[in-house]
Amino acid sequence: MLTTLFLQSSAYKRRARLAAVLWTLLIFIACLWPGKDIPDIQVPFIDKWVHFVLFGVFAFLWLCGYPRRGWRTSVLILLVSVFTGWLVEELQGALPALGRTKDMMDALADSVGGLLGVLGFIAARYLSGADKV
């Protein structure tokens, strides 16, 4: 069953694509939420960890929706992750009324999260045996 999630012929691609779209919307909603309404949590680098996880899951879900073998799709999803992270930061900087600021370290955390999401997908696909099918 797990193997089929990572195959081109997966019956779960539509669900994964829907989850990826909803997750993408969640990213934009969360990252463009007014800063004054975000609770102040006293955990070192919590903001970077949140970006890291958001974009790791983003890349993983999009790859589940487009589970092709080869490196092209993985690279494309990574580039989309990097671009989306950059776009979120640009929007935060362009909309000062939100009380958010542009932080390129957040964009870096987004990019690293996207990279680890891609690598996590590749590892999960390999470990599930889908690469051998």
Side-chain angles (χ1 to χ4, degrees):
M1 154 95 174
L2 182 61
T3 303
T4 62
L5 182 63
F6 304 108
L7 295 174
Q8 176 72 24
S9 60
S10 174
Y12 301 104
K13 287 190 300 190
R14 293 186 73 170
R15 291 180 189 168
R17 289 174 186 165
L18 176 61
V21 167
L22 293 174
W23 191 262
T24 302
L25 290 173
L26 173 77
I27 287 173
F28 278 95
I29 290 168
C31 292
L32 297 175
W33 199 264
K36 64 179 177 48
D37 295 339
I38 298 173
D40 186 25
I41 300 172
Q42 299 299 318
V43 175
F45 305 109
I46 188 67
D47 181 44
K48 306 308 177 247
W49 285 108
V50 167
H51 281 266
F52 180 78
V53 170
L54 283 173
F55 281 83
V57 173
F58 172 90
F60 189 88
L61 287 175
W62 280 108
L63 283 169
C64 286
Y66 296 94
R68 293 183 178 96
R69 285 193 202 179
W71 57 272
R72 286 188 174 110
T73 303
S74 298
V75 170
L76 177 63
I77 296 298
L78 175 59
L79 292 174
V80 169
S81 296
V82 171
F83 174 77
T84 305
W86 171 83
L87 179 62
V88 163
E89 293 308 316
E90 289 297 320
L91 289 171
Q92 285 179 342
L95 302 169
L98 294 176
R100 307 290 292 262
T101 58
K102 178 178 169 180
D103 182 353
M104 294 317 289
M105 292 306 288
D106 285 350
L108 178 61
D110 300 338
S111 299
V112 171
L115 175 62
L116 288 179
V118 168
L119 294 175
F121 177 84
I122 291 168
R125 182 174 58 200
Y126 176 78
L127 292 172
S128 74
D131 275 344
K132 296 172 183 89
V133 176

